[in-house]
Amino acid sequence: VIAGSFKNSHQISAGTIVGSNIFNIFLVAGGAGVIGGGFILSPKEYIFHAPAVLLFSVMLLAIFFFGRRIGRAKGVFLLLCYFAYIALAFLL
């Protein structure tokens, strides 16, 4: 990701991030479910984490489709959103 950013291959960086997330969701979560016989999600996952993931995904899709570029201002905004998410996750 960092090498792609330095070489101005931002599409490769974005594709790597999205591909890594898809891989983690399907392989890691699916593998854990198969090996462990399934897992139970707490209400916190349904109420807080799932909507947060959906919101971040919609924000990134909007940036990619309409802006085509994540500049400094958008990057700072996304980092602040992430820090707020992490803070709220530990507080709840």
Side-chain angles (χ1 to χ4, degrees):
V1 173
I2 295 172
S5 296
F6 283 129
K7 294 180 182 180
N8 289 328
S9 298
H10 303 292
Q11 294 87 0
I12 293 175
S13 297
T16 302
I17 292 169
V18 171
S20 173
N21 288 334
I22 291 171
F23 177 81
N24 285 336
I25 289 170
F26 287 123
L27 189 68
V28 175
V34 169
I35 292 171
F39 50 88
I40 299 172
L41 298 176
S42 71
K44 185 178 178 180
E45 275 90 15
Y46 290 114
I47 295 170
F48 180 69
H49 294 296
V53 169
L54 184 62
L55 178 65
F56 277 115
S57 299
V58 169
M59 285 188 333
L60 281 175
L61 283 173
I63 288 172
F64 287 143
F65 285 125
F66 297 117
R68 299 272 181 193
R69 180 170 158 83
I70 298 178
R72 186 165 291 159
K74 291 176 188 173
V76 168
F77 173 72
L78 289 172
L79 277 175
L80 290 175
C81 288
Y82 177 71
F83 291 144
Y85 168 74
I86 295 297
L88 285 172
F90 282 110
L91 291 176
L92 296 178

